[in-house]
Structures are given as structure tokens and as C-alpha cells.
Amino acid sequence: VLAEKGHDLLQQALRQVAQEILSPPPRTPDRQEVNRLLQSWAPGRLYWPRLEAPFRRLLVELPDDREEAEEGEPVYGRRWVPEWRRLVTDAARESFQEVAAGLENSLRSLKAVARIQGSFQARIIKELLTGGET
């Protein structure tokens, strides 16, 4: 679920970048053009491979990451879940940066990335790293 949330946040941010590149505010870009541009960037092909090996490790290590709560009930993941949150956050951040680095060096592209990147960073920290909701 957390990895899917990271992918969704990445997609949303890059969709905003695409919209601003194709038609800066206040104009509204054509939805099909935005979708084509977003598909050409293929953020999922950058994002998911970054998480494949760490996810396998999480599955192996999680059963041993066990403590007992005060009531004697087992609690899993106190060590590995925060690490997984950090890895998902890093994967989203790095994928965004990789797409941004591959954009043309036009003023419009640079401005679009600059406008969106800060809010994207804040959202992934809040929603992935700290586990908050918007």
C-alpha cells in the first residue's frame, strides 16, 4: 500500500509538471496530450525497480522484526517499517529527479519542475515518511 501511494504521488506531481509544460496556468492543457507526455516519461519504469530488492529484503526480515507490546501481543515492523518508508520516499524522490533531469532545458520545463518539486517533496515526506494523510 505504501509503495502504491508513493507511485501515485509521483504520478500526480509529474502530471502537474506535464500540464504546466504543455499549457502554463491559467490555460488548461489537453488531457490526452498530458497523458501522452506522462506516458513517455514512464515514471513507473524508474520507480518500481528501485523498490524490488528492498521489498524482497523486507519480506525476509519482517518476521524477525518482532517485539512484544505491554499486553504481551507481538508487534512486527518497528525496525523495518520505518526503513521501508524511507526507501519508498527515496524511490519517489529519485524518480521525480530523474524525469526532471531528462526534460529539455527550456525555461518552461525548468519553471514547471521548480513550481511542483517543493510541494511534491512536502507531500512525500508527510504522506510516506511520517505516515500522515492529506
Side-chain angles (χ1 to χ4, degrees):
V1 173
L2 188 67
E4 290 172 3
K5 180 68 171 180
H7 183 256
D8 290 346
L9 293 171
L10 173 64
Q11 288 275 110
Q12 291 168 15
L14 290 174
R15 178 172 299 284
Q16 290 175 309
V17 170
Q19 289 170 338
E20 290 205 17
I21 288 173
L22 293 172
S23 191
R27 294 183 283 161
T28 304
D30 179 70
R31 178 175 280 169
Q32 289 180 339
E33 286 182 46
V34 171
N35 288 339
R36 278 193 295 273
L37 185 55
L38 188 58
Q39 286 176 350
S40 74
W41 295 338
R45 283 187 280 178
L46 301 173
Y47 177 77
W48 292 112
R50 286 183 162 97
L51 295 175
E52 188 173 339
F55 183 70
R56 286 188 196 148
R57 184 172 179 206
L58 174 71
L59 291 178
V60 170
E61 299 287 340
L62 194 56
D64 293 331
D65 185 7
R66 178 182 175 187
E67 296 176 8
E68 286 193 24
E70 290 179 20
E71 304 83 36
E73 294 291 319
V75 176
Y76 291 92
R78 286 202 174 146
R79 184 179 73 238
W80 280 102
V81 170
E83 177 67 10
W84 177 243
R85 287 184 177 283
R86 186 190 62 76
L87 290 167
V88 170
T89 301
D90 289 348
R93 182 181 295 126
E94 291 166 7
S95 298
F96 182 93
Q97 291 171 345
E98 192 170 336
V99 169
L103 297 177
E104 64 179 330
N105 251 353
S106 70
L107 182 59
R108 184 177 281 183
S109 294
L110 295 172
K111 284 175 73 172
V113 168
R115 287 176 52 93
I116 304 304
Q117 191 167 17
S119 62
F120 171 65
Q121 296 282 359
R123 284 192 74 193
I124 62 173
I125 288 169
K126 179 180 180 184
E127 296 185 37
L128 299 178
L129 199 55
T130 62
E133 298 293 329
T134 56

